[in-house]
């Protein structure tokens, strides 16, 4: 579990700003589950999704997401992982492969988190941000993610990563504006 607690370049929970917010959230929580819930809702509701709100700059590091209060789903998942890891809650990164439109190609990755809850084991949460047609919630053990799998080439990727996928980091770091990222969303090829 140690790798799901570590600080890194993109999940940089050792920064003063992230530790301070993590401490405030922990002080408001009466249990680990409540801490995860409060942290999830903070990222989901207080950090604006870059594309939904047409916001720059493009963020990738958790500390930058917190500083600028915006990020794509991937960056928001980095912040949620950082906040929870700062409080000793093992947290990983997960991805779905989804259709960009209403079905069929093109496809892109969607970033979310898996949190290790003592009462339930690994539990996925999606702090992307709600809007019309998107209603992600925290209701363990039942998952309430932002997007269901609908298309035969869409997938819930089963892995729980301790660090962001290189294709995600490369996309976020290569593009300067939210619309450039939107036009070049990361994807991976499925095997089988």
């Amino acid at each position: 579990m140690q790798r799901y607690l570590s600080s890194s370049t993109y999940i940089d929970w050792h920064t003063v700003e992230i530790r301070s917010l993590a401490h405030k959230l922990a002080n408001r929580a009466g249990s680990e589950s409540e801490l995860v819930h409060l942290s999830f809702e903070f990222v989901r509701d207080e950090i604006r999704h870059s594309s939904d709100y047409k916001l720059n700059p493009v963020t990738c590091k958790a500390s930058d997401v917190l500083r600028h209060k915006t990020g794509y789903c991937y960056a928001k998942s980095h912040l949620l992982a950082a906040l929870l890891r700062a409080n000793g809650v093992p947290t990983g990164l997960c991805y779905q492969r989804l259709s960009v439109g209403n079905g069929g190609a093109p496809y892109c990755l969607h970033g979310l988190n898996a949190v290790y809850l003592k009462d339930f084991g690994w539990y996925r949460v999606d702090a992307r941000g709600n809007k019309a047609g998107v209603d992600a919630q925290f209701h363990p053990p039942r998952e309430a993610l932002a997007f269901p799998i609908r298309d035969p080439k869409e997938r819930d990727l089963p892995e729980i990563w301790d660090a962001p996928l290189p294709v995600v980091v490369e996309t976020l770091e290569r593009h300067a504006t939210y619309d450039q990222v939107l036009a070049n969303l990361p994807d991976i090829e499925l095997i089988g």
Side-chain angles (χ1 to χ4, degrees):
M1 285 294 183
Q2 193 58 39
R3 64 191 181 119
Y4 297 110
L5 292 168
S6 65
S7 184
S8 66
T9 300
Y10 301 102
I11 304 173
D12 55 344
W13 67 258
H14 279 100
T15 64
V16 172
E17 301 87 358
I18 290 180
R19 284 194 332 244
S20 174
L21 176 58
H23 182 72
K24 288 176 187 170
L25 291 166
N27 283 341
R28 290 180 42 214
S31 67
E32 179 188 71
S33 181
E34 189 176 354
L35 169 64
V36 173
H37 191 183
L38 288 170
S39 301
F40 161 75
E41 286 190 342
F42 175 85
V43 176
R44 184 194 67 189
D45 299 342
E46 300 301 322
I47 305 298
R48 294 168 292 182
H49 189 280
S50 299
S51 178
D52 289 355
Y53 288 89
K54 300 177 178 20
L55 292 174
N56 293 310
V58 175
T59 56
C60 189
K61 286 183 178 182
S63 58
D64 289 340
V65 176
L66 182 57
R67 185 174 306 112
H68 296 290
K69 301 281 192 268
T70 188
Y72 269 88
C73 58
Y74 325 104
K76 291 180 74 163
S77 73
H78 302 168
L79 176 57
L80 183 56
L83 290 170
L84 292 173
R85 288 180 184 188
N87 279 312
V89 179
T91 307
L93 305 173
C94 297
Y95 299 93
Q96 293 177 309
R97 184 178 195 248
L98 301 171
S99 175
V100 173
N102 292 326
Y107 295 91
C108 70
L109 292 176
H110 170 61
L112 53 146
N113 297 91
V115 180
Y116 191 81
L117 301 173
K118 291 179 183 125
D119 294 337
F120 303 106
W122 286 108
Y123 173 71
R124 293 186 308 165
V125 292
D126 192 339
R128 178 222 179 274
N130 290 341
K131 63 178 187 174
V134 175
D135 187 29
Q137 299 294 329
F138 180 82
H139 295 299
R142 183 178 60 83
E143 289 182 347
L145 304 178
F147 302 109
I149 300 300
R150 294 188 176 135
D151 182 284
K153 292 191 177 179
E154 293 183 335
R155 293 280 190 294
D156 278 320
L157 303 181
E159 297 86 358
I160 301 171
W161 282 274
D162 61 334
L165 290 179
V167 67
V168 167
V169 170
E170 194 271 333
T171 298
L172 295 176
E173 290 192 335
R174 180 168 23 116
H175 301 290
T177 64
Y178 83 89
D179 52 330
Q180 290 172 340
V181 173
L182 188 59
N184 295 281
L185 293 169
D187 189 18
I188 59 170
E189 290 296 319
L190 296 178
I191 299 171

